[in-house]
Amino acid sequence: MRGKRDDPGGRGEEANGDERVPTGRGDNAPLRREWTFDPGVVYLNHGSFGPSPDVVRRARERYSEELEREPMDFFVRRLEERLDAALARLGSFVGTSPANLAFVPNATCAMNVVAASVELGPGDEVLLTDQEYGAVVRLWGRRCGAVGARTVMAPLPSPPGAPAEIVAAVAGCLTERTRLLVISHVTSQTATAMPVEAICRAARERGVPVCIDGPHALAMRPVALDGLGCDYYCASCHKWLSAPFGSGFLYVAPHQKQRLMPAITSWGKSLSGRSSRWQDELHWLGTYDPAPYLAVADAIAFLESVGVEQFRTATHVLARRARQRLMEVVGAEPLTPDGVEWYGSMVTLRLPQLPPSEAWPGTPHPLQRALWERHRIEVPIFQWKQAVHVRVSCHLYNSADDVELLCEAVRAWIDQPA
């Protein structure tokens, strides 16, 4: 099976002199050229670690080279202006003023800033759902435990019949003790798009601030922060936007900025001597390479050159194909109804033929190991709620052939796992 994809870069092309000619095996041959993969790799895990297209990688390297040539000039005289320009580009993309945004390495760092900033005391509650990311649950559990507060998990309907059911499940767990609601825009395990605007509206009616965990929504879904009504939004830009690793952002609503506390304390002021801004606490945590932040603007430019809606449509169509083919080929079970309102470029299905692994968590599922070792397919196989699941991520470099290779490999392993 691997021989079908053993071409340079795994791009579904064959060499012809100095040119690359599509073989017809893939759907997105022109766009696949923008990424570089090791030969034979079928990469269906952009949702975990999304590699950047070459044009973005080159931009990041160019910024790093400028830094190395004259660090003093770069840090002290030019960095703040360049961060402002990148934030302006990002603000336009996510529907808010750049004055409400700060760069951070990733969504986890952003969430830690929020955790350091929200006032909690004995008896207080932070409400999450039972589909939140494990690191986020752990973070808030530790924060609450340190002050005598507690986390509460709102059980979501599975499978949901309508978005209103999710809103009702979350709103029903809000109490007078709830000091913050933490909700994913798109969940990590189940790849479900949450009705966050309606959830924010329900929380506002109860006077509860909202922090949205949004790594999977940026680029995959339309994000208009000023219209959401949330207090905080945490995002990683290295996922669907395909910006460099180490780039993310924190959105803070204007009325919450005075409460913000950095998770790391440094100088907390401008290096160039300009008037202080709240972002200074986050943009200078000591000496670092800011190239990933600056290259966010290049990632946005790349995606817009392709067409943001074209990206969303093409990757959803492919995720939908993966959903349907896994159902047909291996009897996989979907976790939500079908439709773009429920999932975008990523879809999760239950694999009922596979029993839960006693070794999980702690080691990769045997099927995940086999998919990599036998077929060079990268896709998460994980246990959630006592069942084994597969999560398929589709980006512009993926094709229908990738989906078929995955389905064939999973079926072969189920039929003969040894």
Side-chain angles (χ1 to χ4, degrees):
M1 187 179 299
R2 283 178 57 190
K4 296 180 181 179
R5 285 292 304 277
D6 281 345
D7 51 36
R11 294 168 175 168
E13 300 160 343
E14 292 175 347
N16 181 12
D18 292 330
E19 299 179 351
R20 293 208 168 271
V21 180
T23 64
R25 294 196 295 264
D27 300 335
N28 298 320
L31 289 170
R32 293 170 75 84
R33 297 187 183 98
E34 301 294 336
W35 276 266
T36 304
F37 289 98
D38 285 338
V41 170
V42 179
Y43 200 78
L44 291 165
N45 194 20
H46 201 98
S48 290
F49 310 110
S52 299
D54 286 352
V55 66
V56 176
R57 289 167 53 192
R58 288 195 299 271
R60 181 201 65 203
E61 291 162 3
R62 193 165 61 247
Y63 300 136
S64 292
E65 178 64 22
E66 290 180 37
L67 166 62
E68 295 289 351
R69 285 201 303 266
E70 224 293 25
M72 183 70 175
D73 182 56
F74 192 98
F75 281 132
V76 176
R77 303 183 187 98
R78 294 193 291 140
L79 176 58
E80 289 171 342
E81 276 187 13
R82 300 184 77 167
L83 289 173
D84 286 349
L87 284 178
R89 192 78 171 87
L90 177 62
S92 178
F93 189 73
V94 298
T96 192
S97 165
N100 299 329
L101 300 172
F103 284 120
V104 291
N106 51 51
T108 299
C109 291
M111 190 68 72
N112 272 269
V113 174
V114 177
S117 304
V118 173
E119 293 184 9
L120 293 172
D124 290 342
E125 295 176 353
V126 173
L127 177 62
L128 304 98
T129 78
D130 62 356
Q131 293 190 25
E132 297 312 311
Y133 189 54
V136 171
V137 174
R138 180 172 183 262
L139 184 164
W140 284 104
R142 175 174 290 186
R143 172 76 173 94
C144 287
V147 297
R150 71 184 189 115
T151 56
V152 177
M153 299 295 166
L156 298 184
S158 182
E165 293 181 9
I166 295 176
V167 178
V170 174
C173 293
L174 295 170
T175 74
E176 68 278 0
R177 295 182 298 277
T178 308
R179 297 295 172 262
L180 183 73
L181 166 62
V182 179
I183 183 83
S184 291
H185 197 155
V186 175
T187 62
S188 180
Q189 290 102 325
T190 67
T192 304
M194 294 284 111
V196 289
E197 188 171 352
I199 289 171
C200 286
R201 191 160 53 243
R204 278 200 311 274
E205 292 171 357
R206 302 289 291 271
V208 175
V210 179
C211 176
I212 297 179
D213 190 33
H216 285 292
L218 183 64
M220 185 206 288
R221 317 289 294 184
V223 177
L225 292 175
D226 286 346
L228 275 181
C230 63
D231 296 76
Y232 308 97
Y233 195 101
C234 306
S236 294
C237 300
H238 72 265
K239 292 185 182 286
W240 302 100
L241 184 58
S242 293
F245 296 116
S247 62
F249 73 82
L250 171 64
Y251 162 86
V252 182
H255 64 278
Q256 296 288 9
K257 290 175 185 174
Q258 68 275 15
R259 295 190 177 96
L260 201 73
M261 294 291 293
I264 297 174
T265 300
S266 185
W267 290 102
K269 62 182 181 180
S270 166
L271 290 184
S272 66
R274 72 181 183 185
S275 298
S276 179
R277 304 178 185 181
W278 71 274
Q279 292 103 323
D280 293 336
E281 290 280 9
L282 303 177
H283 284 174
W284 189 258
L285 302 176
T287 305
Y288 71 112
D289 184 352
Y293 297 167
L294 301 180
V296 167
D298 298 271
I300 294 170
F302 169 77
L303 192 61
E304 290 181 342
S305 73
V306 173
V308 178
E309 286 306 320
Q310 178 182 332
F311 157 75
R312 290 174 183 152
T313 299
T315 55
H316 174 70
V317 166
L318 200 53
R320 189 171 189 265
R321 182 184 181 93
R323 181 185 191 271
Q324 185 63 33
R325 292 296 291 144
L326 284 165
M327 292 168 64
E328 294 169 352
V329 174
V330 299
E333 299 173 350
L335 303 186
T336 67
D338 195 11
V340 71
E341 69 274 21
W342 288 107
Y343 64 95
S345 312
M346 179 174 72
V347 66
T348 298
L349 296 99
R350 187 181 299 111
L351 298 173
Q353 302 93 330
L354 302 184
S357 171
E358 294 297 327
W360 190 268
T363 59
H365 191 277
L367 173 55
Q368 181 169 322
R369 290 201 305 269
L371 289 172
W372 172 248
E373 293 168 0
R374 301 179 189 179
H375 310 288
R376 286 300 181 257
I377 296 173
E378 292 281 25
V379 70
I381 307 293
F382 61 94
Q383 186 166 303
W384 182 70
K385 291 198 170 182
Q386 301 304 308
V388 177
H389 296 76
V390 56
R391 191 189 73 183
V392 184
S393 299
C394 303
H395 213 282
L396 292 168
Y397 50 76
N398 290 120
S399 71
D401 284 350
D402 295 340
V403 170
E404 292 304 315
L405 289 169
L406 171 66
C407 292
E408 292 171 21
V410 172
R411 179 173 59 186
W413 195 87
I414 289 175
D415 291 345
Q416 193 175 7

